[in-house]
Amino acid sequence: SRGPRGAPASPVRVPAPGSQLPCFHGSSTIRNLKERFHMNMTEEQLQLLIEQLVDGSMRSITTKLYDGFQYLTNGIM
């Protein structure tokens, strides 16, 4: 796959199990991070998941409140 401007995409790098970073301590941290990438899903399943996530966020009151906050404080909509 390709990254921005056609450059080869960099692989996702996960810290080594012996990482000294406190945020990577604990057995569930790396597993939870990997689960967020949904590597076990097909492209079609991922497309459906993304459509559902976008649809859900578009109808979410918290998204609307956050968008309003961004507009009022930063002029971003």
Side-chain angles (χ1 to χ4, degrees):
S1 77
R2 294 287 181 180
R5 299 186 180 148
S10 299
V12 174
R13 300 199 193 290
V14 178
S19 174
Q20 298 301 310
L21 298 173
C23 61
F24 290 107
H25 289 212
S27 61
S28 64
T29 304
I30 299 296
R31 180 174 26 88
N32 291 341
L33 179 62
K34 286 180 180 180
E35 286 175 6
R36 293 179 126 199
F37 287 99
H38 302 287
M39 299 302 290
N40 60 331
M41 296 178 116
T42 66
E43 190 168 331
E44 291 79 17
Q45 290 170 323
L46 284 170
Q47 183 174 355
L48 180 60
L49 174 64
I50 297 301
E51 288 172 0
Q52 291 170 341
L53 289 171
V54 170
D55 185 53
S57 69
M58 288 176 60
R59 290 183 285 123
S60 169
I61 185 67
T62 55
T63 298
K64 290 175 182 159
L65 290 170
Y66 185 71
D67 286 348
F69 170 77
Q70 287 294 328
Y71 179 73
L72 289 173
T73 58
N74 301 309
I76 298 171
M77 189 63 163

